[in-house]
Amino acid sequence: MDSVRVRPLRSDDLPSAERASAITFLEADRRGRRVGEPEPRPRPAAASRQWIDRMRHFRTEDPGGCWVAVDESEGDDGVIGFAISQNRGPFWFLATYGVLPGHQAKGIGRRLIDATLAHADGRQGMFSSTVHPGATRRYRLAGFSLHPQMRMVGTVDRATLPAITGLHEGRDDDIDWMNHLDRRLRGSGHGPDHAYMRRTLRLVVSRAYGRPGYVYIDDRGRAALLAAAHPATAQDLLWEALAASSGDTLVNCITPANEWAVDVGLAARLDIGQEGYLALRAMPPPAPYLASGHFL
Ligand SMILES: CC(C)(COP(=O)(O)OP(=O)(O)OC[C@H]1O[C@@H](n2cnc3c(N)ncnc32)[C@H](O)[C@@H]1OP(=O)(O)O)[C@@H](O)C(=O)NCCC(=O)NCCS
């Protein structure tokens, strides 16, 4: 008899789900490593804590989108797979998804994704996909279009940084118009995810009339999520993030609809790489927009 049960994520599952996630993605990174890339390293303790904190946020906001697979032959608390998704109005996103390497290709991933898609109930959807063959197969079979993503990597040549004016540190009263801009670009505001990101990331905004835009910048100076009404504003915001970077940096989730970001990266003397797909259902690739891996 099949001893694997797919059930809603409980808050006491989070440490076990985090361990499963760390093992699954380390193995996937090793498998997907290209010649010349450094050996992937285990997830540091701070990143594990951040993972648990983020997933707790998702479970609080929309528990119906959060699922785990447990092997009951090993008790009810050993997570072997997880799929964390969220509905935000008419929009659905998949924040993370994985099955422990030893349990893959046995249909567990399908049961997990089916549970999240039943919760999505036909909403338009978006998420960032790895190149893992099990993942891409699952997504296309579930009806998602896979848009190849570029990324820009390297160290910014600081002599190329332009003088940018008209940007400001974000405030809580910016969130209303940011949600409005999100709706224009991806069909729904980030809502409670803005409050979460405000707590953990730096927010820089353009409040210029008719040219709004914002970027969240992480503690390593990476653009974690960027949205703008016009490509010129998006470019200013990306330059601001690049100016905050030190050492090697990364601009991720660039679809071909967002060549404005490639142009900034090239001007800063970063290199173009290719990395995974933006998976979309019932919506075009947002632009000017750089999605966040977890908050989309
Ligand atoms: C993506 C993932 C969650 C799918 O879980 P799973 O339990 O392997 O999924 P399933 O067995 O239900 O389905 C995967 C499909 O791809 C196939 N598949 C699985 N692993 C494969 C592999 N390494 N190579 C080729 N095909 C593979 C399976 O046969 C199955 O196809 P089928 O249903 O037509 O037979 C899992 O493979 C995984 O954790 N991958 C690494 C992490 C990752 O990339 N996560 C996605 C983040 S966007």
Side-chain angles (χ1 to χ4, degrees):
M1 205 187 84
D2 183 12
S3 61
V4 175
R5 187 155 76 99
V6 169
R7 62 160 172 76
L9 169 79
R10 302 188 310 232
S11 75
D12 64 350
D13 291 323
L14 284 166
S16 171
E18 191 285 320
R19 278 192 295 279
S21 155
I23 294 167
T24 301
F25 284 101
L26 180 61
E27 172 62 26
D29 288 348
R30 282 190 176 136
R31 189 198 149 104
R33 182 167 79 102
R34 284 169 282 195
V35 178
E37 288 180 349
E39 177 67 25
R41 293 218 214 107
R43 185 181 285 169
S48 297
R49 285 194 295 276
Q50 190 182 48
W51 192 97
I52 290 177
D53 193 55
R54 238 186 242 141
M55 299 311 140
R56 183 172 287 119
H57 161 75
F58 290 136
R59 189 181 170 278
T60 304
E61 293 303 330
D62 187 17
C66 305
W67 294 82
V68 287
V70 290
D71 186 347
E72 292 194 318
S73 67
E74 295 171 17
D76 186 39
D77 52 4
V79 171
I80 59 167
F82 51 89
I84 311 295
S85 75
Q86 297 278 279
N87 292 344
R88 297 280 181 267
F91 178 81
W92 171 90
F93 65 91
L94 182 65
T96 188
Y97 172 46
V99 170
L100 276 175
H103 294 271
Q104 289 173 11
K106 295 177 186 163
I108 299 168
R110 181 181 188 149
R111 290 167 61 191
L112 283 164
I113 202 84
D114 283 354
T116 65
L117 289 173
H119 180 66
D121 197 20
R123 284 171 170 77
Q124 64 181 62
M126 174 160 88
F127 56 91
S128 186
S129 163
T130 60
V131 294
H132 191 279
T136 46
R137 180 174 176 82
R138 209 57 295 141
Y139 301 149
R140 182 61 200 140
L141 290 173
F144 285 83
S145 296
L146 299 173
H147 298 261
Q149 295 183 133
M150 291 168 277
R151 62 177 184 178
M152 306 292 303
V153 287
T155 304
V156 172
D157 176 351
R158 304 201 69 84
T160 66
L161 293 172
I164 301 288
T165 55
L167 301 184
H168 307 274
E169 294 301 316
R171 300 185 308 237
D172 287 343
D173 63 0
D174 290 312
I175 302 292
D176 264 1
W177 65 255
M178 288 164 56
N179 275 316
H180 184 73
L181 178 62
D182 293 339
R183 278 194 288 280
R184 276 172 56 188
L185 291 166
R186 59 159 218 173
S188 168
H190 282 84
D193 303 323
H194 276 310
Y196 185 89
M197 286 185 277
R198 280 281 286 139
R199 284 202 303 277
T200 52
L201 300 164
R202 179 181 163 216
L203 174 64
V204 175
V205 302
S206 160
R207 300 189 190 104
Y209 184 72
R211 296 199 162 230
Y214 68 84
V215 62
Y216 285 100
I217 302 174
D218 73 12
D219 54 5
R220 287 192 287 175
R222 294 177 172 186
L225 167 65
L226 188 155
H230 288 274
T233 311
Q235 290 192 319
D236 284 353
L237 290 162
L238 184 54
W239 276 118
E240 185 68 21
L242 294 180
S245 70
S246 61
D248 272 359
T249 195
L250 167 71
V251 183
N252 231 339
C253 296
I254 309 174
T255 56
N258 286 284
E259 269 180 341
W260 59 268
V262 176
D263 294 339
V264 169
L266 292 177
R269 305 215 65 86
L270 302 182
D271 301 327
I272 302 176
Q274 203 273 316
E275 187 65 59
Y277 304 89
L278 192 66
L280 296 171
R281 179 170 81 176
M283 61 182 286
Y289 195 81
L290 300 179
S292 137
H294 283 113
F295 296 99
L296 280 309

